[in-house]
Amino acid sequence: MRESGYGKAAYRISPRLAGENPGLGKIPPRWAATVRVRRNGLRLELDLRDNLQAILYYTGRYEPDVLRFLRRELQAGDVVVDVGAHIGVHALAAARILRRSDGRVVAFEPASDSATKLRAAAHRNRLRVEVVQTALGARPGTAGLYGDARYDAADAGVRSQYGDAALVEQVPVRTFDAWAEETGLSRLDVVKIDVEGAEAAVLTGMSRSLRTLRPRAVLVEVKQRERTDTSAEELRELLRAHGYAKAARLGHNELFRPAGVWRGSRSTGRARRG
């Protein structure tokens, strides 16, 4: 399926967009099933009530531009951190790419059901993914994960601290810097952050690691949201303050590289010394 075809299919399939497609038949959430399939070389168990999982099932992929980026970018021995990993679509893909090297994939996912599915998928596919069941933020504490009133309660991908529906779960929050110090993290190459509006808080709690470990690629979901503490431009400014410059846009995600040290190649998207 071409990129344009994927976009059209995702738009038509997405349970989130049912109201914008009144002429299209939608599978009621109560009829949606949990199915076992093979996607992107991975054996997965997908809950079709969830937006991300439905798109992956019906189109065969999810955020294909991010998957291409991982395939181009990752090198033997890389340490990859996926913050807001959900069921692990990207974390599992990274682990599969690095499976024959001494690379390391760490997935932060606070929701207990999503973290359980991620662990099961890693085991099923014989991949090494370290699942850390906590939210990341600017300071330690706790936070509520709330649903979004516009979507089905089973749509785990839209849960956030800014949701306007029922409380799903109270989760612990810690800073990435504290976790990195506690675990003795000495290398960090690629970071992906998608936390439904809390990206700025994650980056604030990661500031020391960004400064000292200097990952060569930071991929962040950047959206203009109604319910969040930080605008898209403020988020970009925060990354600039950490010494990172925007290098590319991959759908809703923006790729940042250390400013003045790395520059992107248009042909490959890979970073190289400036």
Side-chain angles (χ1 to χ4, degrees), residues 78-186:
D78 274 352
V79 175
V80 180
V81 165
D82 186 357
V83 184
H86 192 22
I87 64 165
V89 172
H90 300 306
L92 292 166
R96 186 168 181 262
I97 294 167
L98 296 172
R99 71 189 310 169
R100 301 189 185 282
S101 78
D102 58 348
R104 180 183 182 189
V105 178
V106 183
F108 288 87
E109 175 49 55
S112 55
D113 52 356
S114 296
T116 296
K117 289 196 72 168
L118 202 167
R119 291 189 186 98
H123 177 74
R124 187 183 306 118
N125 289 278
R126 299 181 180 179
L127 296 172
R128 291 182 298 166
V129 179
E130 301 171 46
V131 181
V132 183
Q133 194 172 323
T134 186
L136 293 180
R139 59 189 64 84
T142 60
L145 288 182
Y146 297 88
D148 190 311
R150 296 170 296 177
Y151 312 130
D152 185 72
D155 194 333
V158 299
R159 296 174 188 162
S160 77
Q161 60 181 302
Y162 305 105
D164 58 352
L167 174 69
V168 177
E169 188 176 1
Q170 285 282 353
V171 298
V173 181
R174 63 185 314 188
T175 68
F176 181 84
D177 285 339
W179 175 85
E181 182 176 6
E182 180 183 303
T183 58
L185 187 70
S186 60

Side-chain angles (χ1 to χ4, degrees), residues 33-52:
T34 296
V35 294
R36 291 185 176 181
V37 297
R38 193 173 188 88
R39 294 290 184 268
N40 298 325
L42 299 166
R43 290 185 295 146
L44 301 171
E45 189 172 271
L46 303 177
D47 183 345
L48 301 187
R49 297 172 300 172
D50 180 276
N51 183 69
L52 181 157

Side-chain angles (χ1 to χ4, degrees), residues 65-73 217 219 250 255 257:
D65 44 2
V66 174
L67 180 57
R68 285 193 296 269
F69 163 76
L70 292 174
R71 287 171 174 162
R72 291 195 305 260
E73 181 72 28
L219 190 63
L250 307 174
L255 173 63
R257 303 276 193 190

Side-chain angles (χ1 to χ4, degrees), residues 196-217:
E196 297 300 307
E199 288 80 7
V202 172
L203 288 166
T204 298
M206 190 183 279
S207 57
R208 184 172 68 244
S209 299
L210 292 175
R211 184 176 65 253
T212 60
L213 300 179
R214 216 61 181 154
R216 69 174 184 270

